[in-house]
Amino acid sequence: MPPISRKRATADLVVVANRLPVDRVVGDDGETTWRRSPGGLVSALEPVMRANSGAWIGWPGDTGDVPEPFVDEGLTLVPVALSEREVAEFYEGFSNGTLWPLYHDLVAKPAFHREWWDAYVKVNQRFADAAARFAAKDATVWVQDYQLQLVPTMLRELRPDLRIGFYLHIPFPPAELFSQLPWRRQILEGLLGADLVGFQLTGAAQNFVRLVRQRVGHKTHRDSVYLPDGRVVLAKAFPISIDTEGFEELARSESVGARAKEIRDDLGNPRQVFLGIDRLDYTKGIYARLRAFSELIAEGRLTLEDVVFVQVATPSRERVDQYRILRDEIDRLVGRVNGDLGRIGRPAISYLHSSFPREEMAALYRAADVMVVTPFRDGMNLVAKEYVACRYDDDGALVLSEFAGAANELRQAYLVNPYDIDGMKAQMMEAFAANGRDLTRRMRAMRRTVAENDVSRWASSFLDQLSGTQPTHSKSTRPPKES
Ligand code: G6P
C-alpha cells in the first residue's frame, strides 16, 4: 500500500482506538497486506468517515515494524507501534491486568504496578501525538475505550482547537471500586479533556460524574461537569449496538441457512441446540454456565437426545495469566463433563476454542434454539443482539445475564443472575420448555428494539451530541446556582 501523500495528511474526523480496523497478513512470499476486520465500530463509522475524509489511529496488534500511514478503501489508517515491552506493560499489564478487572466488578483481582502505569502514560501520549498530527484544524476526534483514557487531556493540551469525544465500551465502576486505583485522579482528569464522555449505561455516567465531584472537586449538575476554565464536559449514556440489517441479511442468505442445517446434522439433530459464543474471558461466566448445564444433564432433567451445548470460546489475551488459567479450567470442565456424561458421538458439550467469520457465526445463531449469554459483568454484549438480529422467524430463546448492559434493553430475555447456578438452571429449563407463542412474543419485542437502535444510530447520536456541545473556544458557561 503506498504511503499517503502530504495533501491528504489531515482529517476532519479522527478515530483513535487501541486497535486498527485491519489485521496485518504476511503472505508466503513475505509480502504484507491488510485485511479489514469486520468489527461493528468500523462498519458504523465507515460512511461518516468517508464523508469527512476520516483517519483511524490504532495499533496493528503485533510488535513488528509499522508502515507509514496509508489509505485503505478511502480510509486513512495510521498505525501506532508498540514495543514488546509496551505490549507487556501497557496492553497486557495496565489495560488488561489492572483496568479490565477493576472496571468489571473485580471479577478477578486487579494488579497495581507502577511500571505498568508509566507505560500507560507513555503509550497514551504516543496516540495523542498521532491524533494531534492527523487532525485538521477544528476537526472532531473520537477516542475509544479504556486503553486510552488519558488521550483526551493530552490531546487538548496539544490542540485546543479540536472537538474531542470519548467513548467507554466497558462498564465504568462504582466509586467504591474505582477509588482503589492509585492513579484514579489522573484517569478522571484524562477523561475530562473530552467535551463529551459517553458510556453504555446511565449508571456508569453517574458513577463518573460523582467521582469527578468527589475526587477532583469540580462542580457538577446532572450530566454536566463545570471546569474552572469555563469548559463544560457532558457525561451521557449511548448504548452501543450492531449492524442489525447486515446480520439479518446474512442470516437470511441461502448459504447461511444451509450451513445452519449442516451444523444441526453434524450435532446429531438433538431436539434443541444451546449455544454460547464469547471471547475466552473470565468476565463472561463460561465456567458457571457450563456447570449449570451439565448438572441438568447429570440430574436427568435434560438428556443427550434433548440437547447439546455448543460453546465457542474465541482465544483472547493469551499471555495474561488469568486468561491462561481460565482456559485450563474450562478444558478440564468440558473434559470431565463429556467423560462422565457423554456417549460415543454424543458429547454433552461441543467445545470450540477458535474464532469464526461472521457467516459461520450467523449460521450458529440460526442453528441455536437457546442462546446463553451469562457474563458476571459486561459493558453491553453484542452477541446477545446479534442472536436477536438473526432470528427473523421470531423464534429462539435468549438466556441473558442481568449484569450485561444488553439486559437494559432486552427485557424480554430469560434474565438470570450468573452467580446463582440453580437460578440459571431454572431459566435454562424455562427456555427449553417454552411454548412457541411465548417465544414469539418475547423475540418480536427484542427484535424491534435491536432494529430501531442499530450501530449507525449509536454513532450518529454520539457525533450529533458532540457537535452540539459548546465549542471549546466559546465563552464560559456557569453552573446552575443550586449545584
Ligand atoms: C472489548 C474491549 C475492546 C477490545 C475487545 C477485544 O470489547 O472493549 O476495546 O478491543 O474487547 O480485546 P483485545 O484485547 O483483543 O483488543
Side-chain angles (χ1 to χ4, degrees):
M1 214 80 57
I4 54 167
S5 69
R6 281 218 153 272
K7 266 202 331 282
R8 303 216 36 188
T10 63
D12 296 321
L13 177 61
V14 179
V15 170
V16 191
N18 185 46
R19 285 184 185 272
L20 279 177
V22 289
D23 295 318
R24 191 201 308 254
V25 185
V26 183
D28 295 339
D29 51 2
E31 189 76 7
T32 296
T33 52
W34 297 86
R35 193 181 40 216
R36 192 56 72 92
S37 39
L41 190 58
V42 62
S43 47
L45 293 177
E46 208 150 20
V48 17
M49 296 206 58
R50 274 184 212 292
N52 288 285
S53 64
W56 189 302
I57 295 170
W59 170 53
D62 54 31
T63 54
D65 289 341
V66 302
E68 288 295 302
F70 58 94
V71 179
D72 177 56
E73 296 175 29
L75 193 66
T76 301
L77 298 172
V78 183
V80 173
L82 294 187
S83 68
E84 211 145 303
R85 184 153 172 203
E86 285 165 345
V87 171
E89 295 186 343
F90 156 75
Y91 170 69
E92 292 162 352
F94 200 78
S95 297
N96 291 314
T98 307
L99 294 173
W100 182 267
L102 180 69
Y103 282 29
H104 285 88
D105 272 6
L106 308 185
V107 172
K109 196 169 164 40
F112 300 121
H113 295 298
R114 284 165 286 184
E115 321 80 73
W116 290 3
W117 166 252
D118 294 342
Y120 188 77
V121 175
K122 193 164 149 211
V123 171
N124 270 247
Q125 188 66 57
R126 190 172 307 147
F127 277 86
D129 292 346
R133 207 165 333 121
F134 280 87
K137 173 132 186 29
D138 296 328
T140 294
V141 179
W142 192 1
V143 184
Q144 310 286 327
D145 228 355
Y146 63 102
Q147 303 93 343
L148 300 175
Q149 294 171 102
L150 305 179
V151 170
T153 286
M154 289 171 165
L155 184 56
R156 185 167 296 284
E157 271 159 22
L158 295 164
R159 291 286 307 274
D161 59 304
L162 300 175
R163 206 178 275 274
I164 303 172
F166 179 91
Y167 187 77
L168 186 71
H169 292 252
I170 69 173
F172 191 78
E176 293 71 17
L177 301 187
F178 184 83
S179 298
Q180 289 186 7
L181 188 66
W183 307 279
R184 58 198 181 193
R185 193 181 163 116
Q186 289 95 314
I187 295 280
L188 296 170
E189 283 175 341
L191 292 169
L192 288 171
D195 298 294
L196 174 63
V197 185
F199 298 89
Q200 300 281 13
L201 304 179
T202 309
Q206 287 166 345
N207 289 345
F208 171 71
V209 171
R210 178 170 160 221
L211 272 157
V212 165
R213 192 170 56 242
Q214 286 177 346
R215 298 281 171 201
V216 194
H218 292 322
K219 282 207 162 40
T220 67
H221 180 69
R222 300 210 173 132
D223 55 11
S224 302
V225 177
Y226 299 88
L227 277 75
D229 66 0
R231 223 159 47 76
V232 181
V233 179
L234 267 186
K236 278 173 113 71
F238 299 87
I240 201 169
S241 192
I242 57 163
D243 171 14
T244 310
E245 233 179 78
F247 260 99
E248 173 159 353
E249 211 177 286
L250 198 59
R252 284 183 186 273
S253 72
E254 223 167 278
S255 59
V256 164
R259 177 66 190 136
K261 182 172 180 315
E262 196 174 65
I263 290 171
R264 287 189 78 107
D265 289 345
D266 288 349
L267 292 168
N269 285 310
R271 282 175 53 211
Q272 293 200 13
V273 174
F274 280 37
L275 175 66
I277 301 184
D278 311 81
R279 256 183 334 95
L280 184 47
D281 193 296
Y282 51 81
T283 58
K284 302 289 184 185
I286 303 170
Y287 188 97
R289 158 200 322 168
L290 294 179
R291 237 189 87 191
F293 175 78
S294 67
E295 286 185 15
L296 292 173
I297 303 274
E299 291 160 9
R301 291 165 71 185
L302 291 173
T303 69
L304 299 180
E305 282 65 43
D306 287 332
V307 284
V308 63
F309 200 118
V310 177
Q311 176 64 55
V312 175
T314 307
S316 181
R317 307 173 191 166
E318 289 178 287
R319 296 196 322 184
V320 178
D321 279 348
Q322 281 146 335
Y323 289 76
R324 269 193 216 158
I325 294 167
L326 177 72
R327 179 170 182 198
D328 288 345
E329 285 172 354
I330 291 177
D331 282 353
R332 222 174 307 130
L333 176 69
V334 171
R336 185 150 25 95
V337 168
N338 285 338
D340 288 349
L341 304 173
R343 293 204 313 270
I344 288 178
R346 285 258 181 203
I349 301 170
S350 178
Y351 177 57
L352 301 153
H353 179 249
S354 50
S355 61
F356 293 112
R358 257 162 65 103
E359 289 73 17
E360 183 73 357
M361 300 272 277
L364 284 162
Y365 293 137
R366 291 298 306 152
D369 303 279
V370 180
M371 182 82 215
V372 190
V373 183
T374 57
F376 293 123
R377 179 60 70 192
D378 211 330
M380 176 52 65
N381 197 290
L382 297 179
V383 162
K385 291 189 172 178
E386 288 170 5
Y387 179 68
V388 169
C390 289
R391 305 307 300 188
Y392 55 80
D393 289 330
D394 292 334
D395 60 359
L398 174 65
V399 175
L400 178 62
S401 164
E402 292 165 24
F403 306 133
N408 239 35
E409 293 168 83
L410 305 177
R411 303 304 304 166
Q412 298 79 8
Y414 292 84
L415 294 175
V416 297
N417 168 0
Y419 294 96
D420 173 8
I421 301 269
D422 287 337
M424 276 202 285
K425 286 163 69 178
Q427 286 294 64
M428 284 183 191
M429 287 308 295
E430 284 281 316
F432 173 78
N435 70 47
R437 280 233 321 272
D438 191 32
L439 290 178
T440 302
R441 183 183 58 78
R442 290 171 182 256
M443 188 54 78
R444 213 173 259 161
M446 293 193 287
R447 286 178 57 72
R448 217 173 299 127
T449 304
V450 175
E452 279 165 16
N453 301 298
D454 67 356
V455 71
S456 57
R457 178 145 178 204
W458 166 80
S460 56
S461 61
F462 185 93
L463 290 170
D464 288 351
Q465 175 84 61
L466 180 59
S467 67
T469 55
Q470 149 215 27
T472 14
H473 18 66
S474 80
K475 65 177 174 26
S476 72
T477 311
R478 289 186 180 285
K481 277 242 157 51
E482 71 268 28
S483 65

